[in-house]
Amino acid sequence: MTSNIAVSSRNAIVIIAVVAAGATLYWLRDILTPLAMAIFLMIMISGIERWLSTKAHVPTRFAGVASIGLVVVGFLVSIWIIIDGAAGFFTDASGVAGSIGPRIDHISRDISGLFGVSNPPTLQDMISGIDLRGWLTTAALQAQGIASSAFFVLIYLGFLLASRHGFKKKIVGLFPDRGRRQEALQVFDRVRSGVEGYLWVQAVTGVMICFVAWILMRVVGLQNAEFWTFVIFVVGFIPILGGAIAGLAPPLFALVQFESYWPALTLLVGLQVLLFVVGNVVQPRMQGDNQNIDPIAVLLALAFWGKMWGVVGMFLSTPLAVMAMAILAEFKSSRWMAVLLSGDGNPYGGEGEPDIKENDKKSSLFERMSVRLRRKT
């Protein structure tokens, strides 16, 4: 067997570079996480600004101010709802939880009776080995971390907004050749359109799910229905895990709140049917080519970025996968990775089909001309 030393060295360098990049992302996660979220908000501002100026015919200067205001206010309101809603949820839970402990014991007895267990475990038995004080301390630190991270995100966002006016000059400086400059701008537009398309689909379908879910929760009388509705909307941007949380968390809380099992069963069935219809009928029709990513790639991206950056990484996993696929597709040496990440083997979505059809037309025309020449000769 013979081996190419140059190819082996290049592959080794690539592997070392990937490992070093992963270690750097993990080591600098406290700095890169708010920066990534700020870039994410920046893309949202750009998309809203372009929609207001083109679709709503709002003047450009007012469209920019309005888009920045909407995104910043929405971000701050989201943080406030998460912190205040979580605090109110735990306060209400502690206020009614003279009944939470007996209710869990009652559920335990009912489930144990189905399997013929005479001495079911009580709540005290279940939590005897759990450090509740440590859990509460960790939850408080995470809430404090969310508030401090939001502050840094806004700082990064302000500097990004201040520097975006010089983006065109930087592109000209980086790519003096007009052809290469156009290719770079096409890559940027492809990344932006992919992320914006993903956000649009998730936001619209999330509103649909939240509207129906809120009606279900209000009908059964679930406490903190508005808080759970917002939680369902936010976790909808997390692939795979978001659907599981949205479909199981409210029924589990209803199981503790109500004496009867019917409200929890109603919520469980209703939310599962709703998520199934939206996920298998509505979303595929809205997505089109905006999210041409293989499901395995989505799962791996969720696990990778969740390990790297925690909840924020899970939230940004799919947009980061879209960006990676668009960038990798532009280089011959890395295009095979973009093909593996894509859902149908074409990283460009529907953009590659016209070229194939055009080549087919040329080949068929060439064949017809060849047949005619053979006939004449």
Side-chain angles (χ1 to χ4, degrees):
M1 296 179 62
T2 59
S3 61
N4 192 328
I5 299 178
V7 174
S8 301
S9 301
R10 184 184 63 185
N11 293 338
I13 293 174
V14 170
I15 294 174
I16 294 173
V18 170
V19 174
T24 303
L25 290 173
Y26 183 77
W27 182 52
L28 299 177
R29 61 188 181 278
D30 294 334
I31 300 174
L32 296 179
T33 300
L35 177 61
M37 182 60 71
I39 295 174
F40 183 75
L41 295 179
M42 185 72 181
I43 295 176
M44 292 179 62
I45 290 173
S46 177
I48 295 174
E49 180 181 1
R50 190 166 54 256
W51 182 87
L52 289 175
S53 59
T54 57
K55 302 295 183 180
H57 304 289
V58 178
T60 304
R61 63 175 69 179
F62 298 110
V65 174
S67 61
I68 294 173
L70 286 174
V71 172
V72 172
V73 172
F75 179 72
L76 293 176
V77 170
S78 301
I79 297 298
W80 177 77
I81 291 176
I82 291 173
I83 297 176
D84 184 71
F89 169 75
F90 286 115
T91 301
D92 292 342
S94 61
V96 296
S99 61
I100 289 182
R103 179 57 180 162
I104 294 178
D105 293 340
H106 181 70
I107 295 173
S108 177
R109 287 194 299 269
D110 290 343
I111 295 176
S112 299
L114 295 176
F115 296 95
V117 179
S118 58
N119 294 320
T122 62
L123 177 63
Q124 187 66 30
D125 297 332
M126 297 177 187
I127 66 174
S128 59
I130 300 176
D131 185 11
L132 292 180
R133 186 183 299 273
W135 279 23
L136 293 176
T137 303
T138 303
L141 292 176
Q142 289 181 351
Q144 183 180 3
I146 291 175
S148 61
S149 298
F151 175 74
F152 285 107
V153 167
L154 293 179
I155 291 179
Y156 279 121
L157 180 61
F159 279 94
L160 288 174
L161 290 173
S163 63
R164 68 172 180 171
H165 297 289
F167 179 74
K168 293 182 179 179
K169 295 181 180 179
K170 294 178 182 179
I171 289 294
V172 173
L174 289 172
F175 303 98
D177 182 68
R178 180 172 297 180
R180 295 186 61 187
R181 190 188 314 153
Q182 288 299 119
E183 292 179 359
L185 290 175
Q186 288 177 1
V187 174
F188 175 77
D189 290 337
R190 189 174 294 114
V191 171
R192 183 182 62 185
S193 62
V195 175
E196 289 178 357
Y198 169 76
L199 292 176
W200 170 252
V201 172
Q202 295 300 117
V204 173
T205 55
V207 170
M208 296 178 184
I209 293 173
C210 288
F211 178 73
V212 179
W214 178 79
I215 293 177
L216 284 173
M217 289 185 286
R218 296 296 293 180
V219 167
V220 301
L222 185 69
Q223 293 181 355
N224 300 303
E226 289 74 20
F227 171 72
W228 286 116
T229 302
F230 183 78
V231 169
I232 290 173
F233 179 79
V234 172
V235 300
F237 288 88
I238 301 177
I240 303 172
L241 292 179
I245 296 173
L248 295 178
L252 288 176
F253 184 73
L255 195 65
V256 176
Q257 177 183 340
F258 299 101
E259 293 293 334
S260 174
Y261 295 108
W262 286 109
L265 184 61
T266 302
L267 281 178
L268 179 63
V269 174
L271 290 176
Q272 294 299 327
V273 171
L274 174 64
L275 293 171
F276 178 81
V277 172
V278 173
N280 293 276
V281 178
V282 179
Q283 275 190 347
R285 294 189 178 184
M286 294 183 61
Q287 283 174 352
D289 297 326
N290 289 325
Q291 192 180 346
N292 182 28
I293 303 181
D294 191 89
I296 299 298
V298 174
L299 179 62
L300 292 176
L302 176 67
F304 177 79
W305 291 110
K307 179 66 176 178
M308 287 290 181
W309 293 348
V311 177
V312 177
M314 294 180 183
F315 186 81
L316 299 175
S317 60
T318 301
L320 290 172
V322 172
M323 296 171 64
M325 184 178 66
I327 295 173
L328 292 173
E330 294 301 317
F331 303 96
K332 292 182 179 179
S333 59
S334 61
R335 191 178 184 278
W336 64 273
M337 290 186 283
V339 172
L340 293 178
L341 290 175
S342 63
D344 56 1
N346 185 10
Y348 295 104
E351 297 179 7
E353 296 178 0
D355 296 334
I356 296 175
K357 294 180 180 178
E358 189 67 24
N359 291 334
D360 292 340
K361 291 180 181 178
K362 291 180 180 179
S363 61
S364 60
L365 178 62
F366 178 77
E367 290 176 357
R368 290 197 298 268
M369 293 177 63
S370 301
V371 172
R372 290 178 181 177
L373 288 174
R374 285 196 298 268
R375 288 179 179 176
K376 289 181 181 180
T377 54

